[in-house]
């Protein structure tokens, strides 16, 4: 049986120094390469981060400009809407004035042509128009013919008469017109007075007549008292 002998390698001192120097050089080379690559990667990352920051600032500036433009557009839209609403209200007011003048002119002509009309109070026109369910607009004209061409006070009472739950029901105008606090309504007129308003009828109420009573404050008995059929204008 053969015997194994340990392998012994003998190095000279110069060889050992060269070996150590080679290892050190190799480690230094690895460290230098790692440092160079890491520094380059760090520089590239910093440049990329800088580009991102620049892009973010540009986007922030664009967003701020867009928000400011949106606020300006919203303000402009609100101003335009307010101006449009103001114009609409002015147009409605002008239409009302034109309508009122047309009605006044019509009444003046009728009064001048009607020489047979007796003196006293009367209702020359009554119109009822539906606005929405249970809400109606009414329009009525009070006329007076006197020998004195001056303004006189007139007390007016109005009721809406109809059926509710199978029973007759009378509703004073002050209960169904939010603009009328109490009866009688006090009017001041020389030849006529054009009046209008809105009434909201109770649910289940079926109107049949509108009764109008007129009198001068110094006379107890009404000079005019009449029931008009509730007829809605189309």
């Amino acid at each position: 049986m053969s015997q194994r002998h340990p392998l012994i390698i003998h190095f000279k001192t110069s060889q050992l120094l060269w070996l150590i120097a080679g290892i050190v050089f190799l480690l230094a080379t690895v460290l230098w390469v790692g440092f160079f690559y890491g520094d380059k990667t760090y520089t590239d990352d910093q440049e990329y981060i800088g580009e991102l920051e620049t892009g973010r600032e540009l986007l922030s500036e664009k967003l701020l400009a867009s928000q400011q433009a949106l606020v300006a557009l919203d303000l402009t839209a609100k101003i335009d809407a307010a101006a449009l609403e103001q114009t609409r209200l002015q147009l409605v007011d002008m239409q009302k004035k034109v309508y009122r003048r047309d009605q006044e002119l019509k009444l003046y002509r009728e009064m001048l042509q009607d020489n047979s009309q007796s003196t006293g109070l009367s209702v020359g026109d009554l119109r009822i128009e539906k606005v929405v369910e249970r809400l109606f607009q009414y329009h009525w004209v009070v006329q007076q013919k006197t020998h004195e061409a001056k303004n006189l006070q007139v007390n007016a009472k109005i009721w809406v008469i109809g059926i509710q739950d199978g029973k007759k029901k009378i509703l004073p105008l002050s209960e169904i017109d939010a603009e009328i606090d109490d009866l009688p309504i006090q009017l001041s007129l020389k030849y006529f007075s054009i009046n209008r308003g809105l009434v909201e009828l109770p649910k289940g109420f079926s109107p049949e007549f509108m009764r109008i009573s007129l009198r001068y404050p110094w006379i107890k008995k009404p000079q005019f008292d009449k029931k008009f059929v509730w007829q809605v204008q189309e």
Side-chain angles (χ1 to χ4, degrees), residues 33-45:
V33 171
F35 175 79
F36 177 79
Y37 180 77
D39 183 66
K40 185 176 184 305
T41 303
Y42 175 77
T43 303
D44 293 341
D45 290 343

Side-chain angles (χ1 to χ4, degrees), residues 50 132 187:
V132 293
L187 305 174

Side-chain angles (χ1 to χ4, degrees), residues 100 107 140-143 187-189 191-195:
R100 185 179 182 87
L107 290 171
W140 61 294
V141 179
V142 181
Q143 294 178 330
L187 305 174
S188 177
L189 62 146
Y191 297 111
F192 56 84
S193 172
I194 301 175
N195 310 282

Side-chain angles (χ1 to χ4, degrees), residues 213-225:
S213 174
L214 305 172
R215 72 175 181 88
Y216 294 111
W218 58 88
I219 302 177
K220 293 183 178 181
K221 184 179 179 180
Q223 282 74 60
F224 180 88
D225 194 335

Side-chain angles (χ1 to χ4, degrees), residues 57-135:
E57 292 177 358
L58 291 175
L59 290 176
S60 298
E61 292 176 358
K62 290 182 179 179
L63 178 61
L64 179 60
S66 299
Q67 290 176 340
Q68 292 175 346
L70 182 61
V71 171
L73 288 174
D74 182 63
L75 180 60
T76 302
K78 289 181 179 179
I79 293 174
D80 291 342
L84 182 61
E85 177 64 15
Q86 182 67 24
T87 302
R88 187 190 69 83
L89 293 176
Q90 291 177 351
L91 181 60
V92 171
D93 184 61
M94 289 178 61
Q95 289 176 337
K96 289 181 178 179
K97 289 180 179 179
V98 170
Y99 174 79
R100 185 179 182 87
R101 289 175 182 175
D102 289 343
Q103 292 295 310
E104 291 177 352
L105 180 60
K106 177 184 175 182
L107 290 171
Y108 278 126
R109 287 175 177 174
E110 290 178 353
M111 293 181 67
L112 291 173
Q113 294 173 359
D114 187 9
N115 297 322
S116 63
Q117 180 182 358
S118 60
T119 59
L121 297 170
S122 63
V123 174
D125 186 23
L126 173 64
R127 291 188 294 108
I128 302 171
E129 298 175 355
K130 185 176 181 179
V131 180
V132 293
E133 188 66 26
R134 298 191 296 112
L135 186 64

Side-chain angles (χ1 to χ4, degrees), residues 156-158 172-175 177-186:
K157 291 184 178 181
I158 301 178
L173 191 63
S174 56
E175 292 184 6
D177 187 335
E179 299 297 325
I180 305 299
D181 296 327
D182 196 10
L183 295 179
I185 306 169
Q186 296 181 352

